[in-house]
Amino acid sequence: LFERQYLMMNFVLRVLCAQQMAEALVFTSSLRRVSKLQATTKIDSYEVEGTLKPLSQYLLIRVDEGRAETSGGVLLAKTEKSPTGKVVKVGPGQDDKETGITMPMSLKVGDKVLWGRYDGAEMELNDEPHTLLRERDVRLAWSGDSRDPILKTARVLGRNILIKLTRPSGETASGIIISNADDEIPLEGTIIAKGDGACTRQGERLELDFFEVGDCVKFRDFDITEVKIENEEYVVIDANNCICKWKPMPAGGE
């Protein structure tokens, strides 16, 4: 009788172990399928294994939808709105060929950015609009959840400066400035923010010491990016396009 009970218990234990092993195999197989699905990325119309990683100084940006419409602009009679989006991945930085030093990246995941409408490499990533953009092509960045720039957190990169326009000579009565290649009109404005300067081959920043926030400048109508911040019109330009500057007259000054 004891031997029969022993054999019965041994049989039951074997059945339980076999059942547990089968469940473990099914669970492991499910994990593998899930892992394989998670490691698949759809780029445009085809799928690839793994995830997309930007290289060098490139940023992967999820583009805000509904930004491709056209409207009347401030600087041009007709102009497209500059695209905006959110940084989802950041490249490691660009290595200098001579020094081997990696140029540091200024932006981070989660930053909101604005760039020129002709910049970047557009793509569909997992059926959502994205673009690969060099960091130096970013015209304006800001933090927060707003898809539109916020003046309090807005910042420009590199040698770019953010300018609030004043009324220049040649402006039309309606306030529209028409750019004409044959009759270029220098524009004027006040510096609201300046970038952190160009990066040297040693990885250091050459600050824009020549300019200060609050300076008035006259600049050429060249490579201008319009941006509307809190219902006010601003432009982002390269500091090299400024042709002169001056200090504004103090309030109440003669």
Side-chain angles (χ1 to χ4, degrees):
L1 179 62
F2 176 78
E3 183 178 357
R4 184 178 299 175
Q5 291 177 345
Y6 173 78
L7 292 174
M8 181 63 69
M9 291 179 62
N10 189 32
F11 175 76
V12 171
L13 288 174
R14 288 183 177 182
V15 170
L16 290 175
C17 288
Q19 185 177 5
Q20 290 180 352
M21 289 180 64
E23 291 177 352
L25 288 174
V26 171
F27 180 71
T28 302
S29 178
S30 300
L31 283 180
R32 287 176 178 174
R33 286 198 299 269
V34 171
S35 176
K36 185 176 180 180
L37 288 174
Q38 290 178 341
T40 300
T41 301
K42 184 178 180 182
I43 300 178
D44 293 330
S45 59
Y46 54 91
E47 291 188 354
V48 298
E49 291 187 3
T51 58
L52 189 146
K53 298 180 180 179
L55 303 177
S56 187
Q57 59 168 321
Y58 279 88
L59 307 163
L60 178 62
I61 300 171
R62 183 169 63 246
V63 181
D64 292 332
E65 296 184 4
R67 292 293 187 174
E69 59 197 273
T70 62
S71 64
V74 174
L75 298 181
L76 302 174
K78 290 184 179 180
T79 182
E80 296 180 3
K81 292 182 179 179
S82 296
T84 61
K86 184 177 183 179
V87 178
V88 293
K89 289 187 179 182
V90 179
Q94 184 176 6
D95 294 334
D96 185 87
K97 296 180 180 180
E98 294 186 6
T99 64
I101 295 176
T102 301
M103 304 295 104
M105 300 288 282
S106 299
L107 295 174
K108 62 183 185 301
V109 172
D111 284 338
K112 302 300 294 293
V113 293
L114 175 147
W115 61 96
R117 59 184 180 273
Y118 300 117
D119 296 325
E122 298 177 355
M123 65 171 60
E124 291 285 328
L125 186 63
N126 294 328
D127 297 322
E128 291 185 345
H130 287 70
T131 190
L132 282 168
L133 183 73
R134 292 177 300 186
E135 188 178 67
R136 68 185 184 188
D137 292 329
V138 171
R139 302 302 177 92
L140 189 72
W142 65 97
S143 55
D145 297 327
S146 174
R147 64 183 295 174
D148 295 313
I150 301 173
L151 189 59
K152 184 178 180 180
T153 62
R155 65 188 189 277
V156 285
L157 309 179
R159 293 188 54 82
N160 288 330
I161 54 179
L162 177 66
I163 297 175
K164 181 174 175 57
L165 286 175
T166 57
R167 183 183 175 90
S169 59
E171 187 180 63
T172 63
S174 62
I176 304 297
I177 305 170
I178 302 177
S179 177
N180 188 322
D182 298 327
D183 186 19
E184 184 175 326
I185 304 173
L187 306 177
E188 296 179 7
T190 303
I191 296 179
I192 303 300
K194 63 179 183 176
D196 50 2
C199 192
T200 68
R201 290 182 173 178
Q202 286 71 38
E204 301 175 349
R205 292 285 178 180
L206 295 176
E207 297 184 5
L208 299 176
D209 295 330
F210 186 75
F211 296 98
E212 294 181 4
V213 172
D215 284 349
C216 296
V217 293
K218 187 183 289 288
F219 55 96
R220 296 177 295 173
D221 183 6
F222 177 75
D223 196 20
I224 289 176
T225 300
E226 288 184 68
V227 55
K228 196 168 188 177
I229 305 177
E230 300 171 8
N231 294 321
E232 296 285 345
E233 301 293 343
Y234 297 80
V235 294
V236 179
I237 69 167
D238 189 299
N240 287 331
N241 290 330
C242 291
I243 57 179
C244 64
K245 72 163 191 171
W246 63 93
K247 295 293 182 183
M249 182 71 69
E254 298 181 358

